[in-house]
Amino acid sequence: MAVRIGLTGGIGSGKSTVLAMLQELGATAIDADAISRATTAPGGAAIPLIAQKFGADFIAPDGALDRAKMRERAYAHPEARRELEQIIHPLVGQESARQVEAALAAGARCIVFDIPLLVESGRWRRQVDRVLVVDCEPETQVARVTARSGLAPEEVRAIIAAQAPRALRLAAADLVICNEGLTLEALRYEVEQAARSFGL
């Protein structure tokens, strides 16, 4: 039976780098965020349901979700975010399950679920055997994200503030990779140690 790992970490923690390294070591990745984005892309499974619930003007001319308009709606009406999640989350669950079946059929030994909102959502915890958190200091997150994205430091701090508190993520972890001041080689060593404990 494949080991199921939930991978999470705040923005700029290095979670994507860790995921890529785990894949190199033989893990199968299931990216909940990418699946979620696909449901609201042109032709995505959520689009007809969104049009039905919120109206056709929430669909952009290219057939995707009009994210700016939905953000405005969710800001003015907090329940709109919940309503949108009630459409998207079941679809993400179905597609994740389909990808898991395909991975198991292909003989996967370790399936890593890349779940940015693992701690916030609550529902994911029951679906994984272990939770791996990639962690670093908040100022390191700010420095990394401003360097790569061009966002202002206060914008990055606002994103961090909107994510699960660091202490809550760490409390949910079965294993933590502290990605603070590590070279890529040192990070790879940490990931290899974790992978070994997952049976890779």
Side-chain angles (χ1 to χ4, degrees):
M1 193 64 190
V3 181
R4 298 176 189 222
I5 305 300
L7 174 66
T8 196
I11 187 171
S13 63
K15 180 174 64 68
S16 300
T17 306
V18 168
L19 180 64
M21 289 176 176
L22 285 168
Q23 286 179 276
E24 284 167 21
L25 293 165
T28 299
I30 294 182
D31 184 339
D33 239 10
I35 295 171
S36 176
R37 283 194 301 275
T39 68
T40 59
I47 295 300
L49 301 168
I50 290 168
Q52 193 181 335
K53 179 80 185 171
F54 295 98
D57 50 341
F58 279 85
I59 309 304
D62 67 354
L65 169 67
D66 187 329
R67 290 183 181 280
K69 193 162 197 159
M70 186 56 78
R71 255 195 307 274
E72 279 173 34
R73 173 68 173 264
Y75 188 74
H77 304 280
E79 74 279 3
R81 179 193 292 271
R82 283 192 298 277
E83 289 167 351
L84 182 64
E85 286 172 352
Q86 282 166 1
I87 292 171
I88 293 172
H89 285 174
L91 295 171
V92 173
Q94 287 163 21
E95 178 57 21
S96 297
R98 193 194 64 72
Q99 290 187 17
V100 167
E101 288 308 313
L104 293 174
R109 286 175 299 152
C110 177
I111 299 171
V112 180
F113 295 85
D114 180 0
I115 313 168
L117 302 179
L118 185 142
V119 177
E120 293 91 328
S121 77
R123 70 196 178 91
W124 279 103
R125 188 63 187 88
R126 296 187 301 277
Q127 297 175 40
V128 297
D129 299 313
R130 297 172 77 184
V131 172
L132 172 60
V133 172
V134 185
D135 182 58
C136 65
E137 294 294 333
E139 285 312 305
T140 304
Q141 291 178 265
V142 172
R144 285 178 184 155
V145 178
T146 51
R148 78 177 182 214
S149 69
L151 289 173
E154 56 273 17
E155 290 178 281
V156 181
R157 287 192 188 96
I159 293 168
I160 292 169
Q163 294 184 330
R166 183 184 182 194
L168 204 60
R169 258 200 308 275
L170 292 173
D174 295 304
L175 194 66
V176 177
I177 290 178
C178 181
N179 186 19
E180 187 68 51
L182 296 183
T183 62
L184 268 180
E185 287 70 31
L187 179 59
R188 191 179 303 279
Y189 175 78
E190 293 290 330
V191 173
E192 284 169 356
Q193 296 304 303
R196 208 163 284 143
S197 77
F198 303 153
L200 283 174

